[in-house]
Amino acid sequence: MMHALLAPFAYPFMQRALVAALIVGALCSMMGTYVVLRKLAFIGDGLAHASFAGIVIAYLRNIDYQLGAAVVAVLTALGIGFVHRKGKVSLDTSIGVLFTAAFALGIFLMSRQTRYTLDLQSFLFGDILSVTRGDLIFIVVVGAAVFVAAMLAYRDMLFASFDPVVAEAAGLPVKWLDYGLLVALALTIVVALQSVGIVLVAALLVTPAAAAYQLAKRFTPMLLLSAAFGVTSTVGGLYASYFLGSSSGATIVLVATLLFFIAVALKRLRPA
Amino acid sequence: MSCDVELHKVRVSYDAFCALESIDLCVEHGEALGIVGPNGSGKSTLLKTIAGLLRPERGSICVFGTEPRRLPRGSIAYVPQVEAVDWGFPATVSDVVAMGRFAHLPWWGRFGPPDRALVDEAIEAVGMSAMAGRHIAELSGGQQQRAFIARALAQQPRLLLLDEPTTGVDAATEEALRHVVRGVVARGTPVLMTTHDLERVNEWFDRLMVLDRRMLALGTPDEVAASGAYAAIREHTHTHGHLRVDHDPHEGHEAHPEVRV
């Protein structure tokens, strides 16, 4: 029985997918805590779409697509922060303007190619089973860098997320924390891109943290609960997709959604 | 004479609207300065400017000999009038007050027992010990206000800025806050505080400033009361329904020539 349950992970591609699922699930859902608390749900979608331009440029220049996606996503994130601050428009508007611009640039460049072999489908919907050894190294290195930065800035980021005005008066570098968060989100999205794809990556940033928000009364428990939901979603989704023969990205997001509704139900059932 | 807070010909504008004009001020070490004035008189703007949140269009501001933004972390604690925070944020009273310590901790530093002790002490000072574990959404308005003042106390700032901390709190809380403020002042920390409430200004403040975009009066509470500047503004507001002193003269001004600066 146990043997049958562990059978999927006998394959090397499933082992790599499992490691990717663990890292992507934990990283996205922890960063997602800030996304939910700062009401930035739109940004996951935005930066993921923006990174598409990077993928196309990297393809045309024959360089590593993850590098291209990372550079364009980070530049778009900084641009969003800059337009928001200098243009005095809401963050939502700034995201709306810049991510569509970057996405359009990607389509524009691609449409000028008479023939292309770029597998659009795998970027839009992700394929965690195709994670290579090289992809895994990228995921581990960038994921670890984002995680360490987030841990170091943990308290400052918490204060600045809760009460940016008072934090700024107290001398915290609120502006740089904002930019730093946008860059960290851009990198998180690129790390997750191959696993869940452009269209669904936003769900991993928002849904586990939104579920944790239902149940947690304090910040650190919310962060840990969100990570637990995230990892359950990615690993559970991967596992389920193996038996269901379904798309791994879509299955992961559906598991996360299921957990979210369970959390909402638990909150309503729990005596106040 | 050295000033902990020094403003020289400060002017602050929001786009085309001038909120403060030619403010000169020197706040000394261990001084409680009350700031009174009608709504829209620039009281909050003054505090935000001193906190480094707004930049003056003209003039200069020195806090402990430098620009507010160049001060070391944790130097200034600011308690806004209305906390524009998300009350659904997952944080208890104790969590919010702990943030006051964050300004002093380096990124690699540990939130240790001394920090914890300061947090508990600050919560105790505002009489919230019994509610330390409560979620912030479960507090009344006055309790929320006290939690934010406790956060400012836990920060152990060199300068404390309070924007209308007594609005909407009961008499007992107000009395507790007055003790807290006088305690901070007694330790040498200057406190700048705006208020609507003119009762007992003598007990709260060493000096009082009357503000209506310009500084109309500055002195001990008794001196200010004797100057009639605040009474004049209040009367002006009541009889004319406006607050500004920069409109065309009318008979209301003749009764109170001191209002024209």
Side-chain angles (χ1 to χ4, degrees), chain A residues 39 155-156 163 170 218-219, chain B residues 73-74 83 95 107 109 151:
Chain A
K39 302 180 172 53
R155 281 187 299 252
D156 277 14
D163 197 342
R218 304 181 63 187
F219 182 76
Chain B
R73 284 168 61 121
E83 274 284 353
D95 293 335
W107 282 15
R151 177 174 65 186

Side-chain angles (χ1 to χ4, degrees), chain B residues 21 82 117 146 204-205 231:
Chain B
E21 180 74 86
V82 179
R146 276 147 71 194
W204 275 92
F205 306 114

